[in-house]
Amino acid sequence: VLAMVRAGKTHDLDRLAGTVARALPDLGSVVEPCRKFSLWGVAFRYPLKPGQQLNALTRAEIDEAIAAVTRLYDRVAAMIGND
């Protein structure tokens, strides 16, 4: 929305991160760590593809995801003057 770009499927974090990085290059390094959690965006909504395996996230991975989202939130909030 901030870049006036159509986001598409927002649960595809890998694709969304690429869209954000192209539209707002200053956010590229902040959205990059979010890409690896894309499968978790759809894990319980759609069936897995054949051969795809979903392992439970470790506590470290959960902490990493929370930290990544927090960094992204903080950066966007600062960009829109809502910090």
Side-chain angles (χ1 to χ4, degrees):
V1 172
L2 181 63
M4 304 298 282
V5 174
R6 186 174 176 89
K9 294 181 179 181
T10 56
H11 61 269
D12 185 342
L13 300 180
D14 185 42
R15 183 172 157 205
L16 184 59
T19 301
V20 169
R22 285 187 298 281
L24 298 164
D26 289 347
L27 291 178
S29 64
V30 180
V31 296
E32 185 63 32
C34 299
R35 288 180 181 265
K36 69 189 242 176
F37 297 104
S38 193
L39 181 57
W40 285 94
V42 297
F44 302 102
R45 185 172 181 178
Y46 303 108
L48 294 176
K49 294 177 184 175
Q52 208 171 24
Q53 182 178 349
L54 183 65
N55 296 318
L57 289 173
T58 65
R59 178 60 195 211
E61 289 170 319
I62 292 168
D63 290 343
E64 180 184 351
I66 292 169
V69 170
T70 300
R71 282 190 300 273
L72 177 58
Y73 172 84
D74 290 345
R75 181 75 68 89
V76 172
M79 290 174 74
I80 63 173
N82 193 22
D83 48 355

